[in-house]
Every structure is written in C-alpha cells, then in structure tokens.
C-alpha cells in the first residue's frame, strides 16, 4: 500500500472515501454530510500531516497526524479511518503498522490517540497495537474521549 500526503487535487477522492464511511460517521453522531464536510475541512486546513493510503487509484484509508502536540509534545494520531469494505480482514493492522513505521517513528517515540468511550471495537484495535489507557479528555468539538498512549523505547 502506498501512503502519501493529501493535496487539494485529492478533494473529490477524499470526499468519495468519506461518504462511504456511514458507520464511522454515525458513531461520531454525525450525518454523512457533516462528517464529510468536517473532515475535508480538517485535511485542507493545514497544521497536521494529512495522508491517503492507496492501492492503485483506490483510497482505502486516511490518517491525520499532529507530529508535535503543543501541550505534551507527543505525536497525536488524530484520525485513522479504514474503508468499511476492508474491516475484519487484517488490512487495518497492516496499514497501521506501515503508518507507524513510515510516518510516525521517524518523528517521535510517544504516540497518543483519542477514542470515543463507546467505541469498544476501536479500543480493542488500539490495545492490540500497544496503546494503553492514559486519561479522559474532551476534544475541540466537545466530545469526551479516552486518551490512549503508546511509547516506543529507543
């Protein structure tokens, strides 16, 4: 799989990908339109590293990284969405491992991630990746999240 930076010319492909993520949008308490608008705006705003994960010309996942959080200095994985067509077959695991090796470890050894408290599936996935519960927090949108942390020993 190829991981590359998002550019403005990818907007239509990003929107198409986001519109297929009905379950993820619903879990966030959003309509698919609101989910799409919010995430396209985040990808185009800058300040983070927005990434597309592709096979051939198909976007299979997206990620958004904040490489150095202004408060705690760690790398935050703000968004990691694997296309619902590819759930339950190991692709998310493979994509995350590649993302960590290529885009995260070269920049930091402490990673954080927020998970909605009711998203047990995501919580189990992140625990399998080596993340542990650190604390509760509230997002900029006002959502309560569990902050998970992973530290890689140098």
């Amino acid at each position: 799989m190829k991981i590359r930076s998002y550019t403005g010319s990818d907007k239509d492909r990003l929107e198409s990908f986001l519109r297929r993520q009905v379950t993820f949008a619903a879990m966030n308490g959003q309509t698919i339109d609101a989910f799409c608008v919010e995430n396209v705006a985040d990808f185009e705003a800058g300040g983070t590293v927005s990434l597309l994960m592709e096979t051939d010309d198909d976007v299979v996942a997206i990620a958004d990284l904040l490489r150095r959080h202004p408060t705690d200095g760690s790398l935050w994985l703000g968004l990691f969405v694997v296309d619902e067509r590819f759930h339950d077959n190991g692709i998310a695991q493979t994509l995350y491992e590649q993302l960590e090796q290529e885009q995260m470890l070269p920049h930091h050894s402490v990673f954080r991630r927020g998970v909605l408290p009711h998203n047990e599936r995501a919580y189990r996935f992140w625990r399998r990746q080596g993340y542990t519960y650190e604390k509760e927090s509230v997002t900029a949108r006002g959502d309560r999240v569990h902050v998970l942390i992973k530290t890689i020993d140098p």
Side-chain angles (χ1 to χ4, degrees):
M1 308 243 179
K2 179 177 144 187
I3 299 176
R4 68 174 182 82
S5 294
Y6 171 84
T7 66
S9 64
D10 297 314
K11 183 177 179 182
D12 290 343
R13 293 176 69 229
L14 175 62
E15 285 180 351
S16 177
F17 170 85
L18 290 167
R19 290 193 178 283
R20 292 192 306 262
Q21 311 317 310
V22 176
T23 303
F24 195 89
M27 193 174 317
N28 284 318
Q30 296 177 294
T31 66
I32 199 67
D33 289 334
F35 175 73
C36 186
V37 167
E38 177 182 311
N39 285 291
V40 168
D42 286 350
F43 266 50
E44 296 199 338
T48 60
V49 178
S50 300
L51 303 165
L52 301 179
M53 298 174 209
E54 306 168 307
T55 59
D56 300 319
D57 287 331
D58 190 21
V59 176
V60 296
I62 60 172
D64 203 33
L65 305 174
L66 178 59
R67 287 215 171 119
R68 187 157 305 275
H69 192 277
T71 304
D72 61 40
S74 67
L75 182 148
W76 277 75
L77 176 54
L79 186 66
F80 180 72
V81 180
V82 175
D83 194 308
E84 293 176 12
R85 298 175 295 165
F86 302 108
H87 287 188
D88 299 322
N89 64 3
I91 287 178
Q93 171 88 32
T94 301
L95 287 170
Y96 176 75
E97 289 170 358
Q98 183 179 354
L99 177 68
E100 185 177 276
Q101 289 298 313
E102 294 178 13
Q103 300 289 329
M104 297 167 68
L105 275 172
H107 303 281
H108 220 292
S109 60
V110 178
F111 314 136
R112 286 187 170 85
R113 161 126 199 99
V115 175
L116 295 170
H118 61 277
N119 191 345
E120 289 296 323
R121 183 179 188 171
Y123 190 74
R124 285 190 307 272
F125 175 82
W126 293 112
R127 286 187 49 93
R128 285 193 307 270
Q129 309 320 308
Y131 285 78
T132 58
Y133 176 85
E134 181 182 36
K135 63 183 178 181
E136 289 206 22
S137 188
V138 177
T139 68
R141 222 178 70 184
D143 297 321
R144 198 176 110 246
V145 294
H146 290 175
V147 175
L148 307 180
I149 187 170
K150 178 177 182 176
T151 302
I152 306 289
D153 291 326

